[in-house]
Amino acid sequence: MRQSYELHRFVSWLADKGITVISIDLHHDEGHADPLTDDFLPNHHAHIIVDWMDHATGKSVKLNANDCKEMQTVLAESLGMERGTPKEDSGIEGLGAIEYKEKMARENNRRLTAENARLETRNEQLELQAVAAEKSIEDLEQRRKEKKKALDEESGSALMSGMANLFGKGRFAEIERENERLNDENQRMKTDVARMEAQVEKIPMMVERQVRKTITANNEAHAEEISRINAAHSRERVELQSRFSDLSRRYREMESNDRRVIDNLRREKDTMLARMEAMLSMLGDKLEKAIRALIQFARSVCPAFTRDHKEAIVPWLTTGNDPKNQADFVKLFSRPFLDDAQFRKGYREMDALASSLPSVIEELEQPQYRGIRR
């Protein structure tokens, strides 16, 4: 809006027509917000108060159509505005204030409708992208679970392979019998036992370290590493078994017991059993259930495997091509937890189950009836 002094020509033109301007108020702070951009759109305007009365006659000043057209032209030129085309020339009827507002409202509505359609289209695109992203996340999660399952199975197999080559059958039973026949050869035995303890302490740590290292390698490197570890531990196992045999012979030659040596060996046994117990959870769910089922049966008064025992053991026996070989794993890892009589009982029943595995599987597939039959 121009300053008030720019309206002097307009005021002079009105004075020539007998109209006196009393006051002019310029308004620059009114307007509205753009519905799409929220920008402020000012509505510059002025309020003009005039005296239309001819004080000589007491009547109001009359302006004809040409005067009104000229007044509009003078006002536009005073404010530097573009003059509209008269309707006589354009043939377009001018709009009133209400009609103009309705027209602007319709234009805003069309703009809002177009913008809403654009936003809906964009929203649909974003939803499709979100669905694709969720599908990609699900695929990645499924691949992660499959990879974790494969690594868990690989870890269990590696531990079984390493431990099977590490521990021989009957070792703990031999120590139990040898503990009862210790004699005066105390000093030399303590030196031998201390050396053996140091070696036994290192073996599980070495097995675990080597097994975890091989798990991170690819399949071919993993197989080669396991083979190398098996060969190394096989040699160590032979050496340890030879030394244990020598200890057994010397223990049997002793005539009296040394309680401190007995306590040391018992602590060794308890420590190894605790490690074996902790390692059971690392062997895989099927093997762990089979081992625990055999231990529970061997310690119980049951004369034969119950259905619960079979349901725990059979899934492990069917994971390999040779059920008897799978049964040997169960017997091997359960041996340290059983005495001689318990182990013989479990040994016989496990061999019988492996030999008749097809009929046992057929038996387990039959529905189990409970209660009284009618």
Side-chain angles (χ1 to χ4, degrees), residues 284-301:
D285 185 59
K286 292 181 179 180
L287 179 54
E288 180 184 0
K289 287 182 178 179
I291 293 171
R292 294 190 184 279
L294 179 59
I295 294 172
Q296 193 275 334
F297 163 74
R299 292 175 176 175
S300 71
V301 297

Side-chain angles (χ1 to χ4, degrees), residues 182-234:
L182 295 173
N183 66 7
D184 294 339
E185 199 176 357
N186 182 14
Q187 192 61 38
R188 285 188 296 170
M189 288 302 96
K190 285 197 296 184
T191 303
D192 290 337
V193 169
R195 187 180 299 111
M196 294 304 301
E197 284 180 341
Q199 293 178 351
V200 170
E201 284 286 338
K202 294 178 181 178
I203 290 172
M205 295 174 60
M206 182 169 58
V207 172
E208 181 179 0
R209 184 167 59 253
Q210 292 296 340
V211 169
R212 291 188 181 279
K213 179 180 178 181
T214 57
I215 289 174
T216 60
N218 56 47
N219 292 335
E220 293 181 358
H222 174 75
E224 294 175 358
E225 186 68 12
I226 289 296
S227 177
R228 186 185 66 78
I229 293 173
N230 288 344
H233 290 314
S234 178

Side-chain angles (χ1 to χ4, degrees), residues 190-347:
K190 285 197 296 184
T191 303
D192 290 337
V193 169
R195 187 180 299 111
M196 294 304 301
E197 284 180 341
Q199 293 178 351
V200 170
E201 284 286 338
K202 294 178 181 178
I203 290 172
M205 295 174 60
M206 182 169 58
V207 172
E208 181 179 0
R209 184 167 59 253
Q210 292 296 340
V211 169
R212 291 188 181 279
K213 179 180 178 181
T214 57
I215 289 174
T216 60
N218 56 47
N219 292 335
E220 293 181 358
H222 174 75
E224 294 175 358
E225 186 68 12
I226 289 296
S227 177
R228 186 185 66 78
I229 293 173
N230 288 344
H233 290 314
S234 178
R235 292 190 297 270
E236 292 179 8
R237 179 174 58 83
V238 171
E239 180 182 357
L240 289 175
Q241 287 178 337
S242 175
R243 300 194 62 180
F244 268 113
S245 298
D246 183 60
L247 282 176
S248 299
R249 178 182 59 78
R250 294 163 69 183
Y251 285 164
R252 285 192 293 268
E253 295 173 356
M254 297 176 185
E255 298 178 354
S256 62
N257 296 330
D258 186 298
R259 299 314 308 173
R260 286 182 298 178
V261 176
I262 292 174
D263 291 341
N264 287 338
L265 289 174
R266 284 179 176 172
R267 281 195 297 271
E268 178 192 358
K269 174 186 174 183
D270 293 341
T271 300
M272 295 301 294
L273 286 177
R275 288 178 178 171
M276 290 289 291
E277 178 70 25
M279 287 181 180
L280 283 181
S281 61
M282 302 174 66
L283 296 178
D285 185 59
K286 292 181 179 180
L287 179 54
E288 180 184 0
K289 287 182 178 179
I291 293 171
R292 294 190 184 279
L294 179 59
I295 294 172
Q296 193 275 334
F297 163 74
R299 292 175 176 175
S300 71
V301 297
C302 298
F305 281 148
T306 65
R307 184 182 181 92
D308 290 340
H309 293 139
K310 295 176 182 178
E311 288 178 344
I313 296 173
V314 167
W316 167 251
L317 298 184
T318 57
T319 57
N321 297 324
D322 188 353
K324 292 185 178 180
N325 185 50
Q326 299 297 96
D328 287 341
F329 271 109
V330 180
K331 291 185 291 186
L332 169 65
F333 289 110
S334 63
R335 179 63 185 95
F337 300 95
L338 305 173
D339 59 26
D340 289 345
Q342 293 170 344
F343 180 69
R344 285 194 296 270
K345 175 184 175 182
Y347 188 101

Side-chain angles (χ1 to χ4, degrees), residues 72-97:
Q72 292 177 349
T73 301
V74 171
L75 182 59
E77 292 175 351
S78 298
L79 299 176
M81 299 171 63
E82 182 181 353
R83 180 69 168 89
T85 304
K87 70 177 181 179
E88 298 86 25
D89 299 333
S90 64
I92 301 175
E93 188 71 24
L95 299 177

